Amino acid sequence: MKTLEWKSIGQALSIVLKAAVLILFIFPFLWMISTSLQTLRETMAFPPTWIPASPQWGNFVEAMNAGPFLTYFKNSVVVTGSIIILQFLVMIPAAYAFAKYKFPGKTVLFGMILLAFMIPGQVTFIPVYLMMAEWGLVKTLLPQIIPFVSNAFGIFLLRQYFMQIPEEIIEAARLDNASEFNIMRKIMIPMSGPALATIALFSFVSHWNDYFWPLVMTDSAAVRPLTLGIAMLRETEGISNWHIIMAGNVMLVVPILLVYLFCSKHIVKAFVYSGIK
Amino acid sequence: MDKKRIWEGFRPYVLIAPAMAGIFLFVMYPVGYLIYLSLFKYNLLNKDKSRFVGLDNFTQILGRGDFYKALWNTTIYTAGVVVLTMLLSLLFAVWLNKKGRFNSIVQAGIFTPHVVSIVSISLVWLWLMEPNQGLLNYVLKLVGLPPSDWLQSSKTALMSIIIVSVWQAIGYYTLIIVAALQSISPSIYEAAALDNASKFKVFYKITLPMISPQLFFILIIMTIGSFKVFDTVQVMTGGGPNNATTTLVYYIYGFRTTNIGYASATGVLLMAVIGLLTFVYFRLLAKKVHYQ
């Protein structure tokens, strides 16, 4: 009897602790939302205002007016969307060739892809910027797009997946005179849905959130993405206008949080899978 | 027929050509270009005035205190983040490992910071850590502890950034370890239970060795990832106060327009460090890690 009691106390304690941990990770986002709806006076009040007396929706308007946010938003959408579409066009044929063909130099070429995966943008950004400047592309969105069209990690992941598709299916299609293009389109792509979804989600999250690369590649507002625009709010709005900065921040976070809310399982899987393989 | 044979020989190269072109153009070539630049005193405005200086940039780097400061900061940051994240995510993973609704909610919750932009995370924590109106100091005062200057004092700034990075990373690594734990066959634990092994012993003698490949893998990506730290520093402190949070990448970033040759040489060193870490860990991986 006694051990049973101890056990249930332990369980209750564990649940309370878990709830506390959950709050530790969720609360900062709730605090961000609460601050974004407060008045300046409320943000400075002591003790702090937990829930604003009347929600200040005007903060969002003020944040939006602090810069060309429509342009920033459009840039983020165009950059992220273009990368996802273009990288599939490049990745699928490459992964197919590496998975299903034998050809001289294959190991070396694939090794180069793995090597590329190891070398981060923090190392290559200076030469890439100089190249972009030389090609006259700095005033366009291309410096934020084309370096990511060839996605080494995606090729690697997709190749693993393609290799699991049985050779017999491909051979049968070839006997039916299917072109290689149609084999990719009608067999490889439909059979690797989960891997493609993983790569797409992963790309979406990492490029939508990217800060470093656009920061070093852009020097005018016309080509900046949302992350940079929001980070710059601190300079344009002054460092004590936390309600406005948080309002901008909410606009950056909410789209991603909504996506996460509806497909957290897939996103978690995508990240964990990419981490294990 | 012959034409078809030739085409078939070429086909794989055609299929991989766009991908290889991209990797060559934006990774391989830039690495070569970076090494080339590191040997020059580069003039951004007038390229013809650039001057070959050999290894001058490197000797200059190694003689400068601010470089060692940046290297030191990066090392401390990396050590702090890797040790704390490793211990906490291992603890969380073991704790949240059992399948259940509440556990998966908590898992999804602690993972949330990982899908959000570092810009947002940095801004939220900047606000929480604000010395006068920030919530953290309010809580500290509430429980009777002295408030901290957090990011605004050179004594606590790096620690504050470590806290934020750990907070952001834990969810991801917890989930990887959970996946590793769940891949261990239950029959091994049943055998241990028959032998009446203590919980601690089971963890130390079975669980830990079984997930060691994943732990080593995590160690690699965490260390490399931490060495590249930039975003949090740029948004939260701008390297300050008093260079207390200037990290290697931030250091390179600072020279990217004023002294391209010097920045490139530092970039070469960063690449060497990352390469060395990767190599060392892969060697360790091959030697020490237990495989099934």
Side-chain angles (χ1 to χ4, degrees):
Chain A
M1 191 62 209
K2 236 189 179 147
T3 49
L4 203 70
E5 245 170 51
W6 277 114
K7 216 170 180 183
S8 54
I9 289 174
Q11 262 167 2
L13 200 68
S14 165
I15 288 177
V16 170
L17 272 176
K18 280 174 191 169
V21 166
L22 189 62
I23 288 170
L24 189 68
F25 283 84
I26 297 298
F27 178 78
F29 296 110
L30 298 177
W31 184 234
M32 165 186 80
I33 295 170
S34 169
T35 307
S36 76
L37 295 170
Q38 294 178 12
T39 59
L40 178 63
R41 187 187 284 270
E42 279 172 321
T43 64
M44 299 207 285
F46 193 90
T49 317
W50 300 107
I51 295 166
S54 70
Q56 301 294 311
W57 301 106
N59 291 348
F60 289 88
V61 180
E62 199 176 330
M64 290 269 278
N65 287 337
F69 274 89
L70 228 54
T71 310
Y72 295 153
F73 183 76
K74 194 201 80 201
N75 290 340
S76 281
V77 172
V78 171
V79 167
T80 311
S82 311
I83 291 175
I84 292 176
I85 293 166
L86 291 173
Q87 75 180 12
F88 277 126
L89 295 178
V90 169
M91 189 193 310
I92 292 166
Y96 178 57
F98 279 123
K100 294 297 181 193
Y101 285 104
K102 284 195 179 79
F103 52 93
K106 180 174 158 178
T107 326
V108 174
L109 291 168
F110 194 68
M112 277 171 76
I113 290 189
L114 293 184
L115 196 66
F117 181 38
M118 297 283 169
I119 298 172
Q122 282 83 351
V123 166
T124 54
F125 78 95
I126 293 174
V128 172
Y129 180 81
L130 292 180
M131 285 155 64
M132 294 293 177
E134 208 153 300
W135 298 338
L137 298 178
V138 173
K139 297 263 178 279
T140 70
L141 293 174
L142 289 174
Q144 296 173 64
I145 298 171
I146 47 174
F148 302 105
V149 166
S150 189
N151 176 349
F153 161 69
I155 294 170
F156 176 73
L157 200 70
L158 199 57
R159 171 184 166 265
Q160 302 286 94
Y161 218 85
F162 279 174
M163 290 202 307
Q164 291 165 12
I165 296 175
E167 210 69 45
E168 292 81 24
I169 299 179
I170 298 167
E171 283 307 320
R174 281 191 187 137
L175 284 179
D176 283 345
N177 265 331
S179 67
E180 295 299 293
F181 175 73
N182 272 336
I183 291 177
M184 277 187 257
R185 197 168 61 102
K186 294 197 172 143
I187 299 173
M188 305 312 272
I189 296 178
M191 287 186 82
S192 46
L196 294 173
T198 296
I199 295 166
L201 273 175
F202 197 71
S203 284
F204 171 69
V205 172
S206 48
H207 291 291
W208 181 268
N209 289 339
D210 198 7
Y211 178 70
F212 174 75
W213 195 260
L215 180 74
V216 293
M217 285 295 141
T218 60
D219 46 24
S220 62
V223 288
R224 284 193 184 119
L226 207 49
T227 40
L228 262 89
I230 301 295
M232 285 187 341
L233 271 181
R234 281 187 68 219
E235 291 143 41
T236 51
E237 282 298 305
I239 44 160
S240 55
N241 278 325
W242 288 103
H243 55 313
I244 309 295
I245 296 169
M246 288 303 125
N249 211 1
V250 166
M251 293 191 287
L252 180 64
V253 175
V254 162
I256 266 264
L257 280 188
L258 282 179
V259 172
Y260 183 57
L261 206 62
F262 287 110
C263 45
S264 67
K265 265 211 176 111
H266 291 281
I267 291 183
V268 166
K269 238 199 213 149
F271 274 87
V272 172
Y273 185 75
S274 70
I276 294 174
K277 286 291 150 183
Chain B
M1 192 60 205
D2 236 358
K3 247 186 179 169
K4 205 183 161 198
R5 289 272 300 274
I6 293 173
W7 163 237
E8 275 181 4
F10 265 116
R11 193 160 50 201
Y13 298 107
V14 174
L15 290 176
I16 64 168
M20 294 316 295
I23 279 168
F24 181 78
L25 203 58
F26 295 111
V27 183
M28 302 299 169
Y29 177 70
V31 166
Y33 196 7
L34 183 80
I35 295 171
Y36 172 85
L37 284 170
S38 73
L39 303 174
F40 280 82
K41 179 124 190 84
Y42 191 87
N43 192 322
L44 190 60
L45 298 174
N46 188 350
K47 247 175 102 177
D48 299 328
K49 280 197 181 155
S50 299
R51 176 159 67 74
F52 180 81
V53 292
L55 295 175
D56 262 18
N57 286 321
F58 291 95
T59 43
Q60 213 190 104
I61 290 172
L62 298 177
R64 275 179 69 153
D66 56 356
F67 170 75
Y68 289 108
K69 176 80 178 152
L71 187 65
W72 173 248
N73 287 342
T74 313
T75 310
I76 296 289
Y77 171 86
T78 302
V81 169
V82 169
V83 170
L84 287 174
T85 311
M86 199 70 159
L87 289 178
L88 287 172
S89 47
L90 192 58
L91 181 78
F92 280 14
V94 172
W95 190 33
L96 299 169
N97 175 27
K98 277 211 188 74
K99 285 199 169 110
R101 220 180 136 65
F102 191 55
N103 276 354
S104 52
I105 292 173
V106 178
Q107 281 175 20
I110 62 173
F111 187 76
T112 313
H114 202 80
V115 295
V116 172
S117 166
I118 300 193
V119 173
S120 306
I121 305 252
S122 304
L123 287 174
V124 171
W125 279 93
L126 206 55
W127 171 218
L128 287 168
M129 288 174 165
E130 216 278 326
N132 299 316
Q133 283 124 34
L135 210 54
L136 286 191
N137 274 353
Y138 171 74
V139 172
L140 284 184
K141 278 181 212 154
L142 212 61
V143 295
L145 289 169
S148 167
D149 279 333
W150 301 108
L151 296 152
Q152 294 189 10
S153 149
S154 54
K155 284 198 195 96
T156 48
L158 195 60
M159 178 202 74
S160 308
I161 291 185
I162 291 175
I163 291 175
V164 175
S165 300
V166 172
W167 179 82
Q168 199 221 3
I170 281 179
Y172 175 62
Y173 295 108
T174 300
L175 286 174
I176 291 186
I177 300 176
V178 165
L181 289 173
Q182 287 175 351
S183 68
I184 301 175
S185 151
S187 59
I188 299 175
Y189 288 119
E190 282 156 21
L194 283 180
D195 285 348
N196 258 335
S198 72
K199 261 190 173 174
F200 180 74
K201 209 168 178 187
V202 168
F203 176 76
Y204 203 70
K205 292 269 179 187
I206 299 176
T207 312
L208 219 47
M210 289 299 274
I211 60 170
S212 57
Q214 282 92 342
L215 293 184
F216 267 101
F217 172 80
I218 287 175
L219 210 57
I220 301 173
I221 44 174
M222 241 194 258
T223 309
I224 295 174
S226 303
F227 243 88
K228 298 186 302 192
V229 60
F230 173 83
D231 296 10
T232 26
V233 172
Q234 154 76 8
V235 177
M236 296 180 86
T237 62
N242 237 332
N243 285 338
T245 54
T246 300
T247 57
L248 268 184
V249 176
Y250 194 80
Y251 186 73
I252 299 173
Y253 172 81
F255 286 107
R256 81 196 183 289
T257 48
T258 50
N259 195 345
I260 288 186
Y262 186 77
S264 300
T266 321
V268 171
L269 291 182
L270 174 69
M271 187 167 66
V273 170
I274 290 177
L276 195 72
L277 283 172
T278 314
F279 180 75
V280 167
Y281 278 125
F282 275 123
R283 288 301 294 270
L284 277 176
L285 199 68
K287 261 191 202 155
K288 279 217 177 125
V289 176
H290 166 92
Y291 283 103
Q292 276 161 295

